[in-house]
Amino acid sequence: MVIPVQGQPHSGGVITIEGDRIAGVGPMGPADIDLGDVAVVPGLVNAHAHLDLSDCERPLNMEGNFADWIGRVIRHRNRQGAKPDAAIRMGIDEILKTATTLVGDINSTADSRELLEKSPIDAVVYREVIGVDAQRAESSWMEMEKWLSATNHEGKVLSGISPHAPYSTRIDLMLKAAGSGLRTQIHLGETTEEFDFLTRRSGPLVELLARLGLDATTDLANSFEAVLRALPGASVVHANVLSVDDCVRGGRSVIHCPATHRQFGRMPFSLNCLVSAGVNVGFGTDSRASSPTLNLGEHLSHLMEGPESLAPLEILRCATSGGAKALELDSDHGDITVGKFANLVVVPFVKEADRWEEVIEGLANPRAVLWRGKWRENTVLAKPA
């Protein structure tokens, strides 16, 4: 079974690959490799990850409030040092064992581009910019420009920019990011604490900034709407306390991190409402500071449960073409279409059962993965008789 995502599944379908791209998709016919009772789907897109935190053995302590957890992340980064390459390697190694073929990675002080370029994984790497006061904002922008000029890759790994969040990044810095022409992501609407900070300058986030000596917050946004206006093309990560109307406005993408959402014990995410309203939704793993694994396939089965559940094929669409669109790479990734990269995943599937849930469950431990036309190492495939 070939499940292109865009279009109807092909029972007994055949995919023709030339080089690193798909050259044909069709019904039953002769093939060089017979995969048996399986479903072939596009590679998953992990649209939001922090690979430089992959050295967390387990999610950091989430007791207390969100600002307390942020403080623990800051302390973890301080212990790491300035170049957490070992953590990035750990994250890449973990993802290589999963159904993910495309990643959106956020870089704080690290630079994951070279390591990702040497791996089979396609990626957009976003440089984080941050600054509550003008001096820190300016230095962050200069560091980003230096990072951008240091680009040395062949095009498989692309560069983007990520204003961190509205409680840590000035509006003028967001406007500069919007004018850069780079792909953009921002953490927005993650908690009610963020809403309290923006609208009333009260709560734990104010206290956190005060402890860091950052009391002057007048140049930060005072509403979600102000952030959305400043960053009209940005994909929004989390969006837990944004309204559906906020997300619909401007036709932007939303990236939901289901394992992190569950780890924090948050209220049900408005997944079905967003998809029904026509919002493009992609999925991410966030970091090991908030998620037990970077295996996006393990995080999808829960999305078939509860009041905001989605049908299995809709979950697959979000996890593939939705994520590719959020990364602005849907012209080359996200579905099985002629001309796109041959990033494919093979999972067990008994076609007579038409049990689409089996496809989602199989993504946690795929039978085989193809990156740009090349099988994962140690893949054993049957040939037709």
Side-chain angles (χ1 to χ4, degrees), residues 7 30 65 76 131 151 170 174 192 195 231 255 259 280 354 360 380:
N65 54 52
H76 179 84
T151 299
R170 296 159 60 94
M174 293 183 190
T192 55
F195 178 80
L231 294 166
I255 301 171
N280 180 65
D354 281 343
I360 301 302
V380 178

Side-chain angles (χ1 to χ4, degrees), residues 69-134:
W69 179 82
I70 292 175
R72 294 178 190 117
V73 173
I74 293 171
R75 290 192 291 275
H76 179 84
R77 288 193 190 281
N78 289 339
R79 289 193 298 270
Q80 258 187 349
K83 295 183 178 180
D85 286 357
I88 294 169
R89 288 191 184 92
M90 293 171 70
I92 290 173
D93 288 345
E94 183 174 357
I95 288 175
L96 287 174
K97 299 172 185 175
T98 76
T100 294
T101 58
L102 172 61
V103 173
D105 183 35
I106 308 295
N107 280 185
S108 179
T109 58
D111 189 348
S112 63
R113 291 174 299 176
E114 183 177 352
L115 292 172
L116 282 165
E117 183 68 38
K118 293 176 180 177
S119 83
I121 303 169
D122 286 287
V124 179
V125 177
Y126 298 83
R127 178 67 179 198
E128 197 167 75
V129 291
I130 193 168
V132 174
D133 59 71

Side-chain angles (χ1 to χ4, degrees), residues 142-222:
M142 291 175 65
E143 290 162 6
M144 187 280 299
E145 290 183 320
K146 183 178 179 181
W147 176 88
L148 197 61
S149 67
T151 299
N152 183 22
H153 55 73
E154 299 174 359
K156 187 171 72 70
V157 177
L158 305 177
S159 300
I161 188 169
S162 178
H164 172 251
Y167 51 83
S168 62
T169 309
R170 296 159 60 94
I171 281 285
D172 57 357
L173 195 51
M174 293 183 190
L175 291 170
K176 290 176 75 172
S180 69
L182 297 170
R183 292 171 173 82
T184 309
Q185 284 189 14
I186 184 171
H187 304 86
L188 184 66
E190 188 166 1
T191 68
T192 55
E193 294 169 29
E194 185 180 319
F195 178 80
D196 292 341
F197 175 86
L198 292 179
T199 57
R200 294 190 287 270
R201 289 297 192 268
S202 65
L205 288 170
V206 171
E207 297 165 8
L208 173 64
L209 291 179
R211 290 197 297 273
L212 296 173
L214 301 170
D215 296 322
T217 61
T218 54
D219 292 315
L220 301 182
N222 57 12

Side-chain angles (χ1 to χ4, degrees), residues 161 163 171-186 188 224-236 242 245-254 279 325-326 328:
I161 188 169
I171 281 285
D172 57 357
L173 195 51
M174 293 183 190
L175 291 170
K176 290 176 75 172
S180 69
L182 297 170
R183 292 171 173 82
T184 309
Q185 284 189 14
I186 184 171
L188 184 66
F224 292 139
E225 184 178 356
V227 176
L228 295 172
R229 281 199 308 269
L231 294 166
S235 292
V236 172
L242 290 184
D245 287 343
D246 285 334
C247 297
V248 169
R249 198 176 302 122
R252 68 185 67 245
S253 295
V254 170
V279 175
K325 186 174 181 179
E328 300 179 48

Side-chain angles (χ1 to χ4, degrees), residues 257-333:
C257 300
T260 290
H261 198 86
R262 288 172 60 85
Q263 196 73 28
F264 275 106
R266 291 168 176 157
M267 297 293 289
F269 182 72
S270 301
L271 182 57
N272 191 289
C273 290
L274 288 172
V275 171
S276 298
V279 175
N280 180 65
V281 176
F283 297 138
T285 59
D286 213 7
S287 75
R288 271 190 159 269
S290 63
S291 173
T293 75
L294 299 181
N295 185 347
L296 181 61
E298 287 185 357
H299 304 171
L300 301 180
S301 293
H302 294 297
L303 301 177
M304 296 187 289
E305 307 166 355
E308 286 292 329
S309 63
L310 292 179
L313 293 186
E314 192 63 49
I315 293 171
L316 180 63
R317 187 192 67 77
C318 292
T320 55
S321 64
K325 186 174 181 179
L327 298 181
E328 300 179 48
L329 283 175
D330 47 316
S331 61
D332 283 323
H333 298 268

Side-chain angles (χ1 to χ4, degrees), residues 31-37 367 375 379-385:
D32 294 328
I33 299 174
D34 182 356
L35 297 173
D37 287 334
R367 181 173 293 182
W375 293 105
T379 298
V380 178
L381 301 170
K383 292 191 180 271

